[in-house]
Amino acid sequence: MNIRPRNRTPYEVNASAMNDIMFFLLLFFLITSTLVNPNVIKLMLPKATNKAVVNKNITINIDARENFYINKIPIDKNSLADGLQKALANLKEPVVVINADRTVPIDDVVRVMVIGKKLNAKVILATQPE
């Protein structure tokens, strides 16, 4: 004779409330972590009375028609050395940036580089990233 009951109730854990609790805990920790910054050191920094001198670059542009520009001011090809010397006169560490069109002959670019080197300036050739 079989006396065992046939309707067994399955045992399971209801986890739907657990999902809600974990979601709210995650939100709580995300919000509080943005508000708390433990690496903050408050300092009273001294004030400076003099201003730092920022060294300016001299930009030489050469377009496709072989027109020269010093800081967007047009200049003749023959008076490039004099114009560059005047532009570099007040700078402690002169830097010359050359922006040349890709169709410009390399002789013109090298000419500007030689003039910059004679004037003891650091010469940089600007290129377009690939």
Side-chain angles (χ1 to χ4, degrees), residues 79-91:
S79 62
L80 182 65
D82 295 332
L84 192 58
Q85 186 175 9
K86 289 177 186 175
L88 296 175
N90 298 331
L91 300 178

Side-chain angles (χ1 to χ4, degrees), residues 20-39:
D20 294 338
I21 292 171
M22 293 305 292
F23 178 72
F24 286 125
L25 283 174
L26 179 67
L27 282 178
F28 172 76
F29 286 121
L30 284 174
I31 292 171
T32 56
S33 67
T34 59
L35 298 176
V36 177
N37 193 355
N39 295 328

Side-chain angles (χ1 to χ4, degrees), residues 7-118:
N7 295 335
R8 288 188 183 178
T9 57
Y11 297 106
E12 60 184 49
V13 177
N14 189 0
S16 63
M18 182 72 78
N19 291 337
D20 294 338
I21 292 171
M22 293 305 292
F23 178 72
F24 286 125
L25 283 174
L26 179 67
L27 282 178
F28 172 76
F29 286 121
L30 284 174
I31 292 171
T32 56
S33 67
T34 59
L35 298 176
V36 177
N37 193 355
N39 295 328
V40 174
I41 299 173
K42 294 185 179 183
L43 298 174
M44 296 294 291
L45 297 176
K47 295 183 179 179
T49 56
N50 60 355
K51 295 183 180 180
V53 177
V54 178
N55 198 7
K56 294 184 179 179
N57 295 338
I58 303 298
T59 305
I60 297 180
N61 297 322
I62 309 172
D63 63 5
R65 296 181 182 169
E66 297 182 27
N67 296 326
F68 288 80
Y69 301 90
I70 296 179
N71 290 337
K72 298 181 182 178
I73 300 171
I75 192 162
D76 186 30
K77 194 182 221 183
N78 299 326
S79 62
L80 182 65
D82 295 332
L84 192 58
Q85 186 175 9
K86 289 177 186 175
L88 296 175
N90 298 331
L91 300 178
K92 292 181 182 178
E93 296 177 10
V95 177
V96 176
V97 179
I98 303 172
N99 295 322
D101 192 74
R102 68 174 62 185
T103 60
V104 172
I106 194 69
D107 295 337
D108 291 336
V109 177
V110 171
R111 181 177 175 200
V112 174
M113 294 173 87
V114 168
I115 292 171
K117 193 66 175 170
K118 285 181 182 177

